[in-house]
Each structure stands twice: as C-alpha cells, then as structure tokens.
Amino acid sequence: MMNYRLILQQEEPDRVLYLAVTIDIYETFFKLEFTHLAIANYQFKLIVYDTEQGGIVQWISYSSIKIILNIY
C-alpha cells in the first residue's frame, strides 16, 4: 500500500487513499496496539466493511486513531 500511495501522490495528489478491510480482519488484526501504532505512524485511512451485510461499517482516519491512542 505504501508504494501505491507514493505513486498516487505523484500522479493524482488530490486523491485520498483508503485501505478497505473486512470487519473480521478489523476486529482481530486491526485491534492490536501494534497495528494502531502503524496506522498512526503511516497515517492510513481505513474503511471497514461487512461482507455479510454488504455495507461499510466504519470510516477511520488518522485523527480517529489519535483519539483511540491518546496521541496528540
């Protein structure tokens, strides 16, 4: 994703890149403190979606992660 983001910044700097993950993956891997730190460090934006219900559950930006981790 970081390579894609780098290319996208050069080609289309106004476009916002989100990483889409299923709710199952979010509730396991993305709930780990290490993962939160990585997201905060690289300022990833996430879309959490539910494959069963077929919709977006949550949009998560860097500011949301900062609040979760008390990073200012």
Side-chain angles (χ1 to χ4, degrees):
M1 178 168 167
M2 292 179 353
N3 291 338
Y4 183 74
R5 185 198 307 189
L6 190 62
I7 293 169
L8 189 63
Q9 284 174 346
Q10 290 182 335
E11 299 295 320
E12 297 184 48
D14 295 334
R15 189 172 292 226
V16 178
L17 181 63
Y18 282 83
L19 174 63
V21 297
T22 64
I23 194 166
D24 298 335
I25 297 298
Y26 179 74
E27 289 178 347
T28 56
F29 183 70
F30 282 85
K31 292 288 185 170
L32 300 174
E33 184 177 349
F34 168 78
T35 309
H36 281 218
L37 292 172
I39 291 168
N41 186 56
Y42 294 108
Q43 299 184 17
F44 290 143
K45 294 171 176 56
L46 299 175
I47 296 174
V48 181
Y49 66 95
D50 187 337
T51 54
E52 302 274 325
Q53 300 295 320
I56 294 174
V57 176
Q58 190 173 8
W59 296 74
I60 303 171
S61 66
Y62 175 63
S63 57
S64 301
I65 296 298
K66 284 171 49 177
I67 292 168
I68 293 168
L69 297 175
N70 291 324
I71 300 172
Y72 299 100

